[in-house]
Short mmCIF file of all heavy atoms in Angstrom, two decimals:
data_model
loop_
_atom_site.label_atom_id
_atom_site.label_comp_id
_atom_site.label_asym_id
_atom_site.label_seq_id
_atom_site.Cartn_x
_atom_site.Cartn_y
_atom_site.Cartn_z
N ALA A 124 -14.87 -14.27 17.93
CA ALA A 124 -14.86 -15.55 18.63
C ALA A 124 -16.10 -16.54 18.19
O ALA A 124 -15.87 -17.68 17.90
CB ALA A 124 -14.96 -15.38 20.18
N THR A 125 -17.09 -15.73 17.98
CA THR A 125 -18.39 -16.52 17.62
C THR A 125 -18.25 -17.07 16.23
O THR A 125 -18.46 -18.23 15.96
CB THR A 125 -19.63 -15.59 17.66
OG1 THR A 125 -19.75 -15.04 18.91
CG2 THR A 125 -20.88 -16.31 17.22
N ALA A 126 -17.77 -16.11 15.33
CA ALA A 126 -17.55 -16.61 13.91
C ALA A 126 -16.63 -17.81 13.91
O ALA A 126 -16.87 -18.70 13.15
CB ALA A 126 -16.96 -15.45 13.11
N ARG A 127 -15.51 -17.71 14.62
CA ARG A 127 -14.58 -18.77 14.69
C ARG A 127 -15.29 -20.13 15.09
O ARG A 127 -15.09 -21.14 14.56
CB ARG A 127 -13.53 -18.48 15.63
CG ARG A 127 -12.19 -19.19 15.35
CD ARG A 127 -11.01 -18.64 16.18
NE ARG A 127 -10.71 -17.39 15.80
CZ ARG A 127 -9.57 -16.86 16.31
NH1 ARG A 127 -8.90 -17.38 17.26
NH2 ARG A 127 -9.10 -15.55 15.89
N ALA A 128 -16.02 -20.03 16.27
CA ALA A 128 -16.70 -21.25 16.70
C ALA A 128 -17.60 -21.80 15.64
O ALA A 128 -17.57 -22.96 15.42
CB ALA A 128 -17.28 -20.81 18.03
N THR A 129 -18.32 -20.98 15.01
CA THR A 129 -19.42 -21.31 14.04
C THR A 129 -18.57 -22.10 12.82
O THR A 129 -18.96 -23.04 12.46
CB THR A 129 -20.04 -20.20 13.46
OG1 THR A 129 -20.75 -19.49 14.52
CG2 THR A 129 -21.11 -20.50 12.54
N TRP A 130 -17.57 -21.31 12.48
CA TRP A 130 -16.77 -21.98 11.31
C TRP A 130 -16.27 -23.27 11.62
O TRP A 130 -16.35 -24.17 10.95
CB TRP A 130 -15.59 -20.95 11.14
CG TRP A 130 -14.75 -21.32 9.88
CD1 TRP A 130 -15.00 -20.69 8.54
CD2 TRP A 130 -13.65 -22.06 9.69
NE1 TRP A 130 -14.09 -21.21 7.71
CE2 TRP A 130 -13.29 -22.06 8.42
CE3 TRP A 130 -12.93 -22.80 10.61
CZ2 TRP A 130 -12.15 -22.80 7.89
CZ3 TRP A 130 -11.89 -23.57 10.24
CH2 TRP A 130 -11.54 -23.46 8.83
N ASP A 131 -15.67 -23.44 12.85
CA ASP A 131 -15.17 -24.76 13.24
C ASP A 131 -16.37 -25.80 13.35
O ASP A 131 -16.07 -26.81 12.86
CB ASP A 131 -14.57 -24.56 14.74
CG ASP A 131 -13.29 -23.86 14.68
OD1 ASP A 131 -12.76 -23.57 13.51
OD2 ASP A 131 -12.86 -23.50 15.75
N ALA A 132 -17.45 -25.42 13.76
CA ALA A 132 -18.58 -26.30 13.77
C ALA A 132 -18.91 -26.74 12.42
O ALA A 132 -19.13 -27.94 12.01
CB ALA A 132 -19.66 -25.76 14.56
N ASP A 133 -19.08 -25.82 11.50
CA ASP A 133 -19.41 -26.02 10.11
C ASP A 133 -18.32 -27.05 9.46
O ASP A 133 -18.79 -28.00 8.76
CB ASP A 133 -19.46 -24.77 9.32
CG ASP A 133 -20.64 -23.94 9.62
OD1 ASP A 133 -21.57 -24.54 10.51
OD2 ASP A 133 -20.88 -22.87 9.14
N GLN A 134 -17.01 -26.83 9.72
CA GLN A 134 -16.15 -27.68 9.12
C GLN A 134 -16.29 -29.07 9.65
O GLN A 134 -16.28 -29.93 8.91
CB GLN A 134 -14.75 -27.13 9.54
CG GLN A 134 -14.41 -25.75 8.93
CD GLN A 134 -14.54 -25.74 7.44
OE1 GLN A 134 -13.88 -26.69 6.74
NE2 GLN A 134 -15.23 -24.81 6.83
N GLU A 135 -16.65 -29.19 10.92
CA GLU A 135 -16.82 -30.35 11.54
C GLU A 135 -17.94 -31.07 10.83
O GLU A 135 -17.92 -32.28 10.42
CB GLU A 135 -17.08 -30.20 12.98
CG GLU A 135 -17.07 -31.54 13.71
CD GLU A 135 -15.63 -31.86 14.18
OE1 GLU A 135 -14.68 -30.99 14.04
OE2 GLU A 135 -15.38 -33.05 14.59
N ALA A 136 -18.96 -30.32 10.64
CA ALA A 136 -20.24 -30.89 10.09
C ALA A 136 -20.00 -31.53 8.75
O ALA A 136 -20.53 -32.40 8.29
CB ALA A 136 -21.33 -29.91 10.07
#
Side-chain angles (χ1 to χ4, degrees):
Chain A
T125 302
R127 201 175 289 189
T129 304
W130 189 90
D131 289 346
D133 285 354
Q134 295 302 308
E135 192 81 15

